[in-house]
């Protein structure tokens, strides 16, 4: 029996076992930790996507990769030979991603992403190819803005006012509600939604309400996924609407007054002209005699 005379299958198997053991050993030694909770960011923010090795290990000399695959595979950041490989980065991340180079020796590969955009939303992976270690972080992007209520018409006879509510700069698409003083839904026109080139949404809606005593009307814009609610309230029986109504009424009465004065002046002028013409007539009659 010769111990060196082992078959090729056995050699492959033992190599595989050794490899597996090494892999188990290395995984057991250091693990990449991302974030189990999604990172919620507001459009325009600078954020950190966490990722670090545990226990701590110096990774500054290793190749490190941050990728995302929600819109096709993309390199968000690649660190190789102690440098940021700018050219491999997807254009949409150029100039916006970096690592904390001083943190790499502590095994901290957290990514800094500046000026978050709606399109950045998705799942990110931090990866150490040499150790075949990966970890994931989910990024949720949101944006919210206060609504603005404006008066679009007054129906004096029926004592009703038409209001418009508009809110610009939301992500994802929000819901718009009109509520009365008791917090009940008011039936309004359909919500118009426009998505801008920056992916942000503008929503608007119109409603006609009775201008009763102490009628509070609320325009509420909300987005549940990002847990955001913005409201604006107006009081239709005084304040805002009343000021606007009186300005409206004052403008109309001023216009009527001016018209009246013009007519009066014209009438008086005409009367005077006739009078002086008569006088002239009379004078010329006297002169003839
Ligand atoms: C990694 O570095 C970032 C930036 O300095 C820091 O905010 C984060 O807390 C660090 N993570 C760990 C696990 O130390
Ligand atoms: C108002 O309407 C919205 C959707 O149109 C609905 O989700 C909400 O529950 C309603 N609220 C009330 C108080 O009826």
């Amino acid at each position: 029996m010769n111990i060196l005379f082992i078959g090729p299958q056995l050699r492959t198997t033992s190599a595989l076992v050794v490899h597996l053991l090494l892999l188990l050993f290395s995984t057991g030694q250091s693990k990449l930790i991302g974030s189990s909770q999604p990172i919620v960011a507001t459009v325009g923010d600078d954020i950190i996507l966490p990722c670090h090795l545990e226990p701590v290990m110096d990774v500054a000399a290793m190749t490190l990769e941050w990728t995302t695959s929600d819109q096709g595979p993309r390199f968000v950041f690649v660190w190789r030979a102690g440098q940021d490989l700018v050219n491999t980065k997807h254009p949409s991340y150029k100039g916006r991603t970096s690592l904390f180079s001083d943190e790499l020796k502590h095994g901290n590969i957290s990514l800094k992403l500046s000026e978050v955009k709606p399109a950045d939303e998705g799942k990110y992976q931090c990866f150490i190819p040499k150790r075949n270690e990966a970890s994931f972080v989910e990024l949720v992007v949101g944006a919210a803005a206060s609504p603005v209520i404006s008066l679009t018409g007054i129906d004096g006879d029926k004592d009703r006012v038409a209001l418009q509510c508009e809110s610009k700069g939301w992500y994802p698409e929000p819901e718009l509600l009109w509520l009365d003083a008791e917090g009940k839904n008011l039936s309004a026109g359909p919500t118009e939604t426009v998505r801008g080139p920056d992916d942000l949404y503008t929503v608007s809606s119109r409603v006609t309400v009775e201008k009763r005593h102490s009628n509070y009307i609320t325009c509420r814009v909300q987005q549940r996924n990002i847990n955001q609610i913005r409201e604006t309230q107006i009081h239709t029986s005084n304040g805002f609407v009343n000021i606007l109504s009186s300005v409206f009424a004052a403008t109309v009465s001023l216009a009527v007054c001016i018209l009246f004065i013009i007519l009066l002046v014209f009438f008086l002028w005409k009367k005077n002209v006739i009078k002086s013409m008569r006088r002239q007539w009379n004078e010329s009659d006297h002169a003839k005699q």
Side-chain angles (χ1 to χ4, degrees):
M1 291 271 258
N2 195 337
I3 196 137
L4 292 171
F5 201 73
I6 39 171
Q9 287 102 329
L10 192 59
R11 245 188 327 221
T12 323
T13 317
S14 52
L16 205 71
V17 167
V18 168
H19 194 80
L20 270 175
L21 279 173
L22 274 177
L23 203 69
L24 274 174
F25 190 58
S26 65
T27 346
Q29 224 182 8
S30 261
K31 219 175 172 324
L32 268 182
I33 317 285
S35 173
S36 51
Q37 297 291 318
I39 304 293
V40 181
T42 301
V43 172
D45 274 2
D46 293 354
I47 53 143
I48 294 174
L49 297 181
C51 178
H52 71 279
L53 263 179
E54 229 170 61
V56 166
M57 213 182 95
D58 186 351
V59 293
M62 292 182 187
T63 296
L64 311 167
E65 294 177 0
W66 273 96
T67 54
T68 185
S69 53
D70 285 66
Q71 309 185 16
R74 288 177 174 182
F75 278 120
V76 176
F77 189 92
V78 180
W79 176 266
R80 193 173 294 157
Q83 281 187 348
D84 172 0
L85 289 194
V86 178
N87 291 334
T88 54
K89 211 180 274 189
H90 189 272
S92 64
Y93 294 99
K94 284 241 158 84
R96 293 199 300 132
T97 54
S98 59
L99 297 185
F100 299 91
S101 46
D102 291 343
E103 291 281 338
L104 296 179
K105 57 178 176 288
H106 308 300
N108 185 349
I109 322 172
S110 298
L111 179 86
K112 184 178 175 192
L113 175 61
S114 315
E115 291 165 47
V116 170
K117 302 179 203 170
D120 293 339
E121 190 159 77
K123 206 172 180 185
Y124 289 76
Q125 183 194 49
C126 74
F127 182 54
I128 308 180
K130 194 180 163 191
R131 304 182 64 84
N132 200 26
E133 265 290 332
S135 163
F136 295 91
V137 181
E138 187 166 356
L139 175 63
V140 173
V141 179
S146 294
V148 175
I149 299 177
S150 51
L151 185 75
T152 57
I154 294 164
D155 186 343
D157 297 341
K158 297 199 182 93
D159 217 21
R160 294 200 304 187
V161 291
L163 304 170
Q164 163 158 308
C165 178
E166 185 179 73
S167 190
K168 290 179 186 171
W170 281 83
Y171 188 84
E173 184 179 346
E175 188 183 15
L176 188 154
L177 303 170
W178 286 100
L179 305 169
D180 67 10
E182 286 89 44
K184 286 197 207 113
N185 279 342
L186 285 171
S187 61
T191 302
E192 278 182 40
T193 307
V194 179
R195 188 173 188 168
D198 51 6
D199 287 333
L200 298 180
Y201 291 93
T202 297
V203 286
S204 61
S205 168
R206 284 161 186 259
V207 75
T208 303
V209 292
E210 307 262 322
K211 212 179 100 199
R212 274 176 291 150
H213 322 285
S214 66
N215 201 353
Y216 286 95
I217 304 293
T218 301
C219 174
R220 173 184 294 170
V221 183
Q222 59 186 27
Q223 219 307 324
R224 290 177 208 274
N225 298 349
I226 57 164
N227 203 18
Q228 293 290 335
I229 296 178
R230 295 284 191 282
E231 288 184 349
T232 298
Q233 192 177 59
I234 66 155
H235 194 184
T236 54
S237 77
N238 62 31
F240 176 77
V241 167
N242 267 15
I243 289 169
L244 280 174
S245 324
S246 39
V247 166
F248 192 76
T251 313
V252 170
S253 20
L254 196 69
V256 170
C257 276
I258 289 172
L259 197 70
F260 179 75
I261 291 168
I262 289 172
L263 285 174
L264 193 73
V265 166
F266 180 70
F267 179 74
L268 289 175
W269 174 77
K270 226 176 147 185
K271 227 177 149 183
N272 264 355
V273 166
I274 289 164
K275 225 185 225 169
S276 65
M277 274 167 84
R278 273 210 190 112
R279 205 178 295 136
Q280 269 178 10
W281 268 102
N282 290 346
E283 275 168 11
S284 55
D285 279 354
H286 283 297
K288 270 184 198 161
Q289 281 170 4

